[in-house]
Amino acid sequence: MNISYPSYERNTTTVEATIITAAESTVTTTVGTKAKATDATNTTTAGTKAKATNAPDTTETTDTTDTTETTDTTDTTETTGTTDTTETTGTTDTTETTGTTDTTETTGTTDTTMTSTRAVTAKGEKATTLPTARLKVDGQIRFHVVVKPTVLQVQRGQQVELTCIVYGGNLNTSIVWTQDKPKRRYALTDRASKNDKEITASQITLRSRITLDDPSKIGQYTCTALDDAGNAHSAVLTMQKSGSYVPRPKHLSGVLRKRITNHRNDICQPNEISCSNSIQGRKCVEKYWMCDGDRDCDDGSDEEQRYCDLLPQHRYYKTSEFQCVGANDTYGNPVCVRRSLQCDGYNDCSDHSDEVGCVKPTIISISHRQIRINTRDTLIIQCTARGTPTPYINWRLNWGHICGDGSDNGRCTMEQSIDTHDPSLVTGTLTVRSINANDDGTYSCEARNSQGFIFAIPDTLITVTESDNKPSSSTGCNCHGHSSYCTPDGRCQNCQHDTVGYYCEYCNTGYRGDARLGTPHDCQLLLAVSNQSLYSD
Ligand SMILES: [Ca+2]
Ligand SMILES: [Ca+2]
């Protein structure tokens, strides 16, 4: 099976966000897979934590019939086995029209009587339509997505409009169009205009346009909505080619190209990495997708060793692999599959262990709620989460990138450490060296895997103060001769001689040497050194 996918160009519509924490407290169920071949995936891009104000009220009347519209068009035979989401009560299984992702209930309401279309739950299973039903659940509208139309007759060259309606969402809901066929990527929509998004009490309507100047744009599209509680839902629209080629008006071409280029120049979301070749192809992909065995960037740069190095290393198999639990080959060696195949709805291990226990992350703990720290010190905070597949722990500062550009760039690192006895348990350690005033703010821990994402509550508040040089007790300090100050628990303060770390044991960014030698010259400036040797150790 030769499958390559999900490299999406980012084309996300999100509502401007600030951090609130209360919104995360709802218990939600989300599924979503970076799936094989054709079906829509849950795109866990840029979950937005946003202002809680003006959230649409949810007093919509019942018996909305929109769900029926999406049912018949779904190309269900190709969808991956998605997992059904849990219902709170013993009612009909709710779910999806799209067959791809999963349903979610808004805010743990109970006593639902809603039914809608039945999603695909296993490989090759056809979707069936159940009676349309009440979408209002105990005062809440079920979070779901409807696309209009579901089938669109198109001609090459024309501009088409796709409408995605999200019920039960709020201002924090992000809506993303992705393309599933013939190429998996973020939908190459035309530039958005002001009035494309309409928000009413009961629904969010997003209109997007695509100019079919390239035959590869004719295909199947999925609209996925994500709210700030980790709920996700999606619906599919299929384009069918009809008639002959209609050339796009010439005067548009330059404009459109420029717009697309502008779009690609956008900075990636804090939960994304940049693809190396941002001129052609995908610009950003989920951090969770780096080094997972799939080339998600068109240039494959998400699978480069430098990204694998950011993930926990295994002794017997590659970082990009998942080891089937009970399966051995004929020589008795463990069998591994691409990590992207874990929890994608297909049995890839002979013992099916790659599809066992798949669940979105939960946060187990965070190390600090509040830290006051001096400039030039090193900040270290941790966050532990559980999930299957093993979640990736990401951090945001004031809802944006850590260290300005979000890169794991030496001054800032996001280390992932998997529990040796429990692969579903991961601790993320954020280290920010040589703290400066720009590092001040609210740090959010987020845990993401193919099943969903969650943010830690509360965030960690970091207050950066100018370091004073007054000596404190130096007893018990082990700072390798680079500081006489440490906290009562032995953490060195104000490391000198271009060193950083809890014990001033590392050289600062741009310096090289062994800071543990204990001389003022342990760390030497790297100015005259070529780039190659800069990265050689
Ligand atoms: Ca990948
Ligand atoms: Ca699998």
Side-chain angles (χ1 to χ4, degrees), residues 34 289-296 302-303:
K34 174 181 167 185
W289 295 355
M290 66 189 179
C291 194
D292 69 348
D294 276 357
R295 290 166 59 95
D296 296 298
D302 60 304
E303 296 299 309

Side-chain angles (χ1 to χ4, degrees), residues 230-429:
N231 297 306
H233 192 238
S234 54
V236 174
L237 177 151
T238 305
M239 290 181 189
Q240 292 175 346
K241 202 171 167 183
S242 68
S244 54
Y245 171 54
V246 181
R248 178 160 43 86
K250 244 185 177 166
H251 67 275
L252 277 178
S253 55
V255 177
L256 285 165
R257 189 157 298 139
K258 194 161 170 242
R259 284 171 178 172
I260 291 169
T261 306
N262 284 344
H263 163 67
R264 287 178 178 165
N265 285 341
D266 288 346
I267 298 171
C268 298
Q269 296 290 322
N271 59 298
E272 295 174 326
I273 54 169
S274 306
C275 298
S276 296
N277 185 350
S278 56
I279 308 299
Q280 287 186 324
R282 313 293 83 72
K283 163 86 175 154
C284 312
V285 303
E286 270 267 357
K287 283 181 180 172
Y288 177 72
W289 295 355
M290 66 189 179
C291 194
D292 69 348
D294 276 357
R295 290 166 59 95
D296 296 298
C297 289
D298 284 358
D299 57 14
S301 56
D302 60 304
E303 296 299 309
E304 287 173 4
Q305 189 58 38
R306 63 191 168 114
Y307 288 124
C308 298
D309 289 343
L310 300 178
L311 301 173
Q313 306 296 306
H314 308 288
R315 191 166 174 187
Y316 298 111
Y317 56 98
K318 294 179 189 169
T319 306
S320 60
E321 292 179 336
F322 169 80
Q323 185 184 351
C324 300
V325 175
N328 291 325
D329 65 16
T330 48
Y331 302 102
N333 296 317
V335 174
C336 295
V337 297
R338 295 199 308 272
R339 202 162 53 79
S340 60
L341 300 181
Q342 188 184 8
C343 296
D344 68 342
Y346 287 73
N347 293 321
D348 297 288
C349 294
S350 59
D351 61 350
H352 302 178
S353 55
D354 57 309
E355 298 299 321
V356 169
C358 305
V359 64
K360 71 177 264 193
T362 50
I363 301 286
I364 305 296
S365 65
I366 54 168
S367 62
H368 299 84
R369 293 188 164 203
Q370 200 164 2
I371 296 178
R372 185 173 290 271
I373 189 167
N374 289 334
T375 53
R376 295 188 290 281
D377 279 357
T378 299
L379 171 71
I380 298 178
I381 46 179
Q382 291 189 315
C383 178
T384 300
R386 185 190 295 281
T388 301
T390 310
Y392 179 84
I393 306 281
N394 186 48
W395 298 85
R396 299 176 184 224
L397 167 58
N398 298 331
W399 206 241
H401 291 280
I402 302 276
C403 289
D405 63 355
S407 57
D408 244 339
N409 59 8
R411 193 173 81 86
C412 300
T413 54
M414 299 179 195
E415 191 200 335
Q416 315 282 316
S417 153
I418 299 178
D419 187 283
T420 47
H421 304 292
D422 182 356
S424 69
L425 202 58
V426 60
T427 295
T429 303

Side-chain angles (χ1 to χ4, degrees), residues 15-21 48-52 172 398-399:
V15 182
E16 183 191 343
T18 9
I19 294 172
I20 49 161
T21 49
T48 353
K49 268 197 213 177
K51 287 176 185 158
N172 311 348
N398 298 331
W399 206 241

